[in-house]
Amino acid sequence: MAEPDVRGESFRPAARTTRFFDWASTAPLSAACVRAMTEWRTAVARHPSPPDFQSEDLARLDVLRKRIGSVFAAGADAEVAFVRSVSEASSALARALDLPQGSEILVTAADHPALAASWCWLAGRRPDLRLRTVPCLPSGRIDLERAQRLLSGRTAVVTCTHLTHLDGVLQPVAELAALVRRRSPALLIVDAAQSVGRVPVNFGALGADILVASGRKALLGPMGAGFVIAASEALAALSPLVFSPRSCEARVGPAGDWLPGVRERTGAAAFEGNLPDLAALHGLHASLLAYRRAGHRELAGRVRSAADAVLTEARQRGFLLVGAEASAGRHGIVRLRSPVATDHREVKHRLAACGFSIAATRDWLRLSVHAFTSPDDIAGLFDHLTPFAAAAPTARSTP
């Protein structure tokens, strides 16, 4: 996997996104990502021996592993594995970890279902395990005092979402990690799907044992290109989720018959039983390089500015804030309630007919922005939201 050349490309979407307000779901691809994936597919199509081309690329995946480690400050003792999604990574961990009899699993009320579902499944499958939940405060942050009381020598796994997908609340992961270290032997697993690309992420400073992330949101990478960063010792006891020659070695006896048992490969191989999507990983690599060149702190500041503009417009129009208190840091993700709509899914459909993309349930709208969302984009959105507002809008021309 050669180092992509992104010197002439900025970290921005390849598609026009003036009416896109669903960055917390699946974001458009970056221009760098599109070019890298296109070049890879062209090269493999022209290669006289695609299997050889693929084998050479697989052998060079360490270039991308080192890039991920560098961008997110993983440190020399951490390993990087490739997964398709947070769901896949969490499932692999729940199936592979051999938790002692009578262990407790601590999840948080802020966790995304993609993270929590695997541990709910495991607790339902093993009656000896106890699943406990750390509640959230009115600010949307997890209750660290409650976490301290729930942690014990029986706690084997603690999960926490770094940045919540509903309200954009940045959770106190480093403080939680310090509590976990003092009060239990547990592994701390952090879901950074929303935070990578949206806020600076430093694996070492977070204090997590395992961080799972997706490239298809704020990093502007392709679907199916996620990754895991983990302390080496945290992966030592994992069994592969998928058994293949990449993750284990089946043995053959002297007579040519297959023997019971396999030699399992440890570390990243536990997640990488299947062949990875090399085109997607090339795209992720290019997006990461463009993201690093753009500057993570500058991008994070622009996201916050866009979120502040959304909140200002919302308050002026009489929309109600849903979820966390107004003082919570939203980092580009805001939920609102119309003072007049009875079903916010209808608002979503009305906006979709005008080319706007948002998320909605019956009870709320979720607006998520990125560093590329301009004040004019936000003004245009709220002009179209006028029928669902309480206050008269400021006069503007609707784009």
Side-chain angles (χ1 to χ4, degrees), residues 151-242:
L151 286 163
S152 73
R154 295 186 300 276
T155 312
V157 170
V158 177
T159 69
C160 187
T161 291
H162 189 203
L163 183 71
T164 59
H165 69 293
L166 292 180
D167 302 307
V169 177
L170 195 64
Q171 297 296 337
V173 171
E175 293 90 332
L176 176 63
L179 287 176
V180 171
R181 300 290 171 262
R182 288 201 303 267
R183 301 186 65 84
S184 80
L187 282 176
L188 175 58
I189 302 168
V190 174
D191 169 12
Q194 293 291 353
S195 56
V196 291
R198 191 177 288 276
V199 298
V201 174
N202 184 311
F203 177 75
L206 285 177
D209 295 293
I210 300 173
L211 181 144
V212 296
S214 171
R216 65 182 174 86
K217 299 179 188 292
L219 285 174
L220 312 188
M223 296 182 70
F227 55 91
V228 175
I229 303 175
S232 297
E233 59 269 21
L235 300 180
L238 291 186
S239 293
L241 176 63
V242 176

Side-chain angles (χ1 to χ4, degrees), residues 43-120:
V44 72
R46 292 176 176 173
H47 199 278
S49 177
D52 290 339
F53 183 92
Q54 179 175 268
S55 296
E56 292 164 6
D57 244 21
L58 286 170
R60 291 194 291 264
L61 280 177
D62 281 346
V63 175
L64 178 53
R65 295 185 205 277
K66 290 177 182 177
R67 177 64 58 209
I68 291 170
S70 172
V71 171
F72 302 113
D77 60 342
E79 292 193 47
V80 174
F82 303 118
V83 293
R84 289 175 295 183
S85 64
V86 168
S87 297
E88 182 178 79
S90 185
S91 298
L93 290 166
R95 289 180 180 276
L97 288 173
D98 185 17
L99 302 188
Q101 192 81 9
S103 292
E104 294 185 349
I105 300 168
L106 203 59
V107 296
T108 81
D111 288 354
H112 190 282
L115 178 67
S118 300
W119 307 103
C120 296

